Amino acid sequence: MISLTVDLGSRAYPILIGPDLLDDPRPLRQAIVGNSAIIVSNETVAPLYLERVRDHLHDLRHEAVVLPDGEAYKTIDILDPIYSALLKRHYDRHTTLIALGGGVIGDITGFAAATYQRGVNFIQIPTTLLAQVDSSVGGKTGVNHALGKNMIGAFHQPRAVIIDTRTLDTLPDRELSAGLAEVIKYGLINDVPFFDWLERHIDELLARDPAALTHAIQRSCENKARIVAADEREGGARALLNLGHTFGHAIETGMGYGQWLHGEAVACGMRMAAEMSVELGWLDRDALDRVDALLRRARLPLTPPTELDPERFRALMSVDKKVIDGNLRLVLLHGIGQAQVTAEFDPRALDRILANSAAA
Amino acid sequence: MISLTVDLGSRAYPILIGPDLLDDPRPLRQAIVGNSAIIVSNETVAPLYLERVRDHLHDLRHEAVVLPDGEAYKTIDILDPIYSALLKRHYDRHTTLIALGGGVIGDITGFAAATYQRGVNFIQIPTTLLAQVDSSVGGKTGVNHALGKNMIGAFHQPRAVIIDTRTLDTLPDRELSAGLAEVIKYGLINDVPFFDWLERHIDELLARDPAALTHAIQRSCENKARIVAADEREGGARALLNLGHTFGHAIETGMGYGQWLHGEAVACGMRMAAEMSVELGWLDRDALDRVDALLRRARLPLTPPTELDPERFRALMSVDKKVIDGNLRLVLLHGIGQAQVTAEFDPRALDRILANSAAA
């Protein structure tokens, strides 16, 4: 078992990574402080893993809330079944919420934990690659609004992240690729050796080689933990983690939540950020070709949906949490491993790549 | 103008108290950091004070969201008009939300600010006595759930609390009395000289004598600021501020939100806590008589509604944020000015006072 730490002082917590961690009660029990828990999962994941988690809680008061599966359900209304389950049986402030599922379940459960009785403990058990390498770490929780993705939420750190790599055995191929988008993101932001490694091992990852997947998860979590520890509330460097996300959120919101997987939208968004960086003269074309090739090999989309014309795309991008006092900030690239958050760019470069995409 | 500070380190903020503060743009403008703001108010308060606040924002991008008035509307659904207003016109992370109204508006607006884009600034302009002496200070925000009061929420401190004492001129008598319940609470918890002062000046307060009201507001805010600074997240002493609230919340939830004013329910709850303290032999009957006399002079209810039988009352009390691992904790009195949070009491004392109330 690999153990990493997200170093947030008194709120530091472990990320545990290994095969069959769900068969071991100890990682879960060590992170529970009270004598009750509610597991939140979805209709896809619950039949696979819920009983194994429940077994570890047999001597605690506990129950499960099983939600429908999908980004389309990540709305404020989905919180009510969780709040109602908690209140009906008087779960108190010492209750722990356990998120068992992908990024959507983690975000919803974390937000419910952040807001039930003004905050209770929660634990992340991510079962998708995307959740394991990104969304389960760092304490961003929340739900979507019809007018913008992740616009309602809170920072609320988990007490532990428990990653059983065997859960990836049941992950659909499309979800595996979507997770790889966030893995590739860390290489692009500031980890050139990891990007090089990914170029050499992408086929093993797609073939679900356990050693390769474990390395990719560990390296991704190390990158994320370091950035979050340095900037928990995204006052600065943490915004780098949004590489591809302003473009990607526009695609997700514009197409309707759940049509594109988050990782697919982020892949396309990273490609657009790279293309815009080339337009600005910040990134050379060879680097863009490497980005394209790696995303393509990971079976990820490179071009945005033709349904979104440039005007609509721009309007959707302007609803972004990185907009400050009306200025759109983007994460752009000066090279592979050299991302920068900036509002200092020629806006015509954005016009051009949106027009290119529409013409494609 | 009186200026107090809630000393929370980097998140310290001022409480400003004075007549006609709403005529002065400076207190408000000094607390706004970005270049946009949304004022949240209700249909009762907006016609009285909204234009005066808007005048101070004339050079900022701003708008107002006017909600229906009353505790019955303090639900998670009421947040949507606020989120939608923010998102429709792309208000960003540097937006400030301004709560202009009583405790309900403050709680709702604070929770919207805590959760919009994972947290934006907000300012409290409380216009009821209850909000001025209690709910606007300390960062507790949230909404009710059908199954429990204030069960969904967050800690989110305002950047400033601006108390224009003249707004009390328009406050209905019933609301004034309700506010006095929370004022009396501070004396009962740990401020004997203030309790003595209230006994001497209660008639002036009811007659809205400006000097008496200002003193009562200042002294209440001093008490609250001190307790909050020592225990922001209610790990310990802050729970004392819930004197009367476990009983009171049971009345509010059981009768339907808005039937009893919060302060009325708290007054009755404090009286029940005092009576239970007498039952336990912790408080002498003379002290209970003083509590009764002061609450009665303040025109506050002393007995709970007969609609709630002891069994139902007890069930409602068990949904309380102070319940830990199944144990009901209450704030009880060893004397006037000597409150204690404890789960160490003979439960039959609670049975007896609930039975007494039902028989009354």
Side-chain angles (χ1 to χ4, degrees), chain B residues 109-125:
Chain B
T109 307
F111 189 54
T115 55
Y116 182 62
Q117 300 208 10
R118 299 196 190 95
V120 298
N121 289 328
F122 90 110
I123 295 169
Q124 292 269 21
I125 306 181

Side-chain angles (χ1 to χ4, degrees), chain B residues 35-354:
Chain B
N35 58 16
S36 66
I38 283 197
I39 308 162
V40 180
S41 190
N42 69 32
E43 289 167 350
T44 306
V45 175
L48 298 169
Y49 304 113
L50 180 58
E51 282 314 307
R52 281 158 76 182
V53 175
R54 290 191 82 142
D55 281 349
H56 303 325
L57 307 176
H58 64 89
D59 57 331
L60 300 184
R61 196 159 72 92
H62 73 280
E63 61 196 271
V65 175
V66 177
L67 304 175
D69 183 12
E71 184 86 31
Y73 298 99
K74 197 176 112 175
T75 68
I76 201 162
D77 296 332
I78 202 75
L79 298 169
D80 196 64
I82 305 174
Y83 293 141
S84 292
L86 286 159
L87 285 165
K88 264 183 201 150
R89 301 200 189 197
H90 304 178
Y91 284 89
D92 64 34
R93 269 189 188 162
H94 278 199
T95 295
T96 299
L97 298 195
I98 300 168
L100 175 67
V104 170
I105 286 294
D107 285 2
I108 292 168
T109 307
F111 189 54
T115 55
Y116 182 62
Q117 300 208 10
R118 299 196 190 95
V120 298
N121 289 328
F122 90 110
I123 295 169
Q124 292 269 21
I125 306 181
T127 60
T128 66
L129 181 61
L130 187 134
Q132 292 176 353
V133 300
D134 184 32
S135 61
S136 69
V137 175
K140 282 192 179 179
T141 74
V143 295
N144 299 328
H145 186 280
L147 298 173
K149 190 168 155 69
N150 291 337
M151 281 291 157
I152 302 164
F155 286 99
H156 190 59
Q157 299 291 343
R159 285 186 66 87
V161 181
I162 301 169
I163 300 172
D164 182 338
T165 51
R166 282 280 169 82
T167 58
L168 300 180
D169 294 348
T170 55
L171 193 68
D173 286 341
R174 188 179 164 196
E175 299 252 9
L176 185 77
S177 288
L180 288 173
E182 298 279 8
V183 173
I184 292 166
K185 183 186 76 175
Y186 295 109
L188 279 174
I189 290 172
N190 64 359
D191 192 347
V192 176
F194 188 40
F195 192 88
D196 294 344
W197 183 91
L198 287 166
E199 289 182 318
R200 294 194 304 276
H201 295 88
I202 190 72
D203 296 329
E204 290 158 56
L205 291 168
L206 287 165
R208 305 184 194 225
D209 175 80
L213 280 172
T214 298
H215 178 76
I217 294 165
Q218 175 180 358
R219 186 74 169 233
S220 297
C221 286
E222 284 168 352
N223 269 291
K224 178 122 189 201
R226 181 172 40 76
I227 292 171
V228 168
D231 177 23
E232 183 181 5
R233 293 200 163 231
E234 200 164 306
R238 184 164 180 171
L240 292 171
L241 293 171
N242 292 312
L243 174 63
H245 282 60
T246 304
F247 295 99
H249 287 170
I251 294 172
E252 288 181 88
T253 306
M255 295 300 289
Y257 298 124
Q259 296 302 306
W260 280 52
L261 294 179
H262 176 63
E264 292 169 342
V266 166
C268 179
M270 291 194 295
R271 203 274 168 198
M272 292 175 84
E275 187 188 359
M276 184 168 156
S277 303
V278 171
E279 282 286 335
L280 289 164
W282 297 1
L283 186 73
D284 61 45
R285 192 156 287 276
D286 287 352
L288 176 61
D289 289 343
R290 284 179 69 189
V291 173
D292 281 358
L294 186 56
L295 293 175
R296 192 176 290 117
R297 288 174 67 198
R299 299 170 194 154
L300 286 161
L302 298 184
T303 52
T306 50
E307 289 90 334
L308 300 177
D309 63 43
E311 195 182 350
R312 171 102 172 106
F313 208 107
R314 184 183 277 286
L316 288 162
M317 288 178 74
S318 67
V319 188
D320 185 273
K321 293 191 289 297
K322 287 186 302 304
V323 172
I324 292 183
D325 292 340
N327 289 316
L328 178 63
R329 295 186 306 151
L330 290 172
V331 187
L332 297 171
L333 295 171
H334 289 281
I336 286 169
Q338 292 178 272
Q340 183 196 5
V341 185
T342 181
E344 304 288 315
F345 51 78
D346 182 344
R348 290 170 299 183
L350 179 57
D351 297 339
R352 284 194 297 270
I353 67 133
L354 291 177

Side-chain angles (χ1 to χ4, degrees), chain A residues 303-326:
Chain A
T303 51
T306 51
E307 289 90 333
L308 300 178
D309 62 43
E311 193 182 353
R312 171 105 172 104
F313 208 106
R314 185 184 277 286
L316 287 161
M317 288 178 75
S318 67
V319 188
D320 185 273
K321 293 192 287 299
K322 287 187 299 305
V323 173
I324 292 183
D325 290 341

